[in-house]
Amino acid sequence: MNITRENIDALNAVVKVDISKDDYSDKVEKILSDYRKSANIPGFRKGHVPMTMVKRQYGKAVLVDEVNKLLQDALNKYLTEEKLDVLGNPLPKPQDDLDWDADNFSFEFELGLAPQFDVELKSKKAITQYNIVADEKMLDNQVEYIRKQYGKLVSKEEASKDDEITGVFANEEKEINNTATITLDKVKGKTNEKKFVGAKVGDVITLNTKGLFNDDHDLMHFLKVSHDDAHGLDVDVTFTVTEINTRELADLDQELFDKLFGKGVVTSVTELKEKIKVDSEKQFAQQGDQKLLNDVTEYLVENTKFDLPAAFLQKWIQTAGEEQLDADQAKEEYEKSEKSMRYQLIEGKLIQDHNLQVTFEDLKAHAKEMIKVQMAQFGQMDPADEELENIAARILSNQDEVKRLSEQLMSQKLLDLYKTEGNLKVKEITYDDFVKEFYS
């Protein structure tokens, strides 16, 4: 067997694999000999079928199968030994005149080669790293929410703006008939709000579904209609009031603090707010990190210049999926995925250059921390290390979980690298302002 490579340019190459009869003949003969021993052909005793008949019936299929196996093994070994960084998979060049009755065969494969490039992490213009904080207004709102959540309902005769109003939404034609409890902060517009304020048990309110709620998805929940039916729904519905309640706020006392955080952990409103602030800002940090990751990714893709073997990749995309694509479809798919391909190459380069690795110990520690957080949500604040070890072992025996956790950890290592090596400026911002600026 002989393998040669011709480099067309820096990004494209053709590998030629020459296979001679000596490479496959012994293997083919052995397989056919085994077939002869087990072949069950009418007119012949088992194991006594003439070899010429076995070769005539099975020889071509066995030859093709063995040559293809030999070809794939040789090609994979060659790519590994030559340390060729290829994109996609090798593409066999069409051979309409391939003669399987010959003794020797030649096959050619097109390769798309990964480009050589350097990554500069320090941008000329600093990238903003957002430090999202919980301001006093947000802390007051959270305290108010907790007091409502743990308060008690008190029945009322007449509805006012801050009450919880229960009733039945109905429309016979659309087969709507659903009991729901709403608060007026979800209702859109003063006109609709006024219809509820002053209502009493037994009153029937007529409403139009178009623009009824601030979020149209609430139609699905309150009217129990499908997503498709809720979209653009424009019909009149009746709302028959069955119950009106006001929520009496819970007292900010030690009983509430113990219920929220465990006995004696929080002993004052000041400590309550500090606890809310710390817990909230932990969650905000994740959103700030995601924003930073997005911004650094955008910078790296835009500013790390290299060419890709576009023609090869488009040809590869035609056959890579479950369904064959034509040239135009493959081009469109390539254009949609090019940015992602570029970042994957940049990410791989950074991992290699900075020797970023995820060890088994990293995975186990990450799994144990994840388990502790989940257990804390169910009131298990101090699980035994042996219990954590056992649960982590079960998680890490699942290859899909190992892959998922590995990707999470590598993403964190890359984020830490960006924070250490990148040109960043820290900007403190409240959560409300962060949401307005980036998610409005």
Side-chain angles (χ1 to χ4, degrees), residues 34 37 108 116 135 153 167 261-262 318 327 362 376 407-408:
D34 291 341
K37 293 175 185 176
E108 291 184 337
Q116 298 296 313
D135 62 355
L153 289 176
F261 302 107
Q318 284 186 260
D362 291 335
E407 288 172 353
Q408 286 180 0

Side-chain angles (χ1 to χ4, degrees), residues 167-288:
V168 180
F169 283 104
N171 177 290
E172 189 174 345
E173 181 186 351
K174 293 292 184 180
E175 297 182 346
I176 296 169
N177 190 292
N178 187 59
T179 300
T181 299
I182 66 171
T183 52
L184 296 189
D185 59 324
K186 292 186 176 295
V187 174
K188 187 174 182 178
K190 294 292 184 184
T191 302
N192 285 325
E193 186 181 291
K194 285 178 181 176
K195 292 182 179 181
F196 288 93
V197 174
K200 298 178 180 179
V201 173
D203 285 356
V204 178
I205 302 169
T206 301
L207 304 156
N208 188 275
T209 56
K210 186 176 182 180
L212 177 56
F213 297 109
N214 292 312
D215 184 347
D216 284 342
H217 288 91
D218 282 338
L219 286 172
M220 298 164 55
H221 174 65
F222 291 130
L223 275 63
K224 279 291 182 288
V225 294
S226 69
H227 182 277
D228 290 341
D229 288 340
H231 183 69
L233 186 64
D234 185 4
V235 297
D236 286 338
V237 293
T238 58
F239 181 81
T240 304
V241 180
T242 59
E243 190 177 343
I244 303 167
N245 292 296
T246 189
R247 192 169 285 272
E248 195 173 274
L249 299 182
D251 291 330
L252 291 172
D253 56 17
Q254 194 59 48
E255 182 183 354
L256 177 62
F257 300 153
D258 290 347
K259 191 180 294 184
L260 289 169
F261 302 107
K263 191 169 181 62
V265 175
V266 169
T267 60
S268 68
V269 174
T270 301
E271 289 181 8
L272 169 65
K273 286 187 174 182
E274 185 58 33
K275 179 71 173 167
I276 295 171
K277 182 178 175 66
V278 170
D279 291 346
S280 297
E281 289 179 356
K282 279 183 183 177
Q283 296 179 27
F284 298 161
Q286 295 175 6
Q287 295 183 52

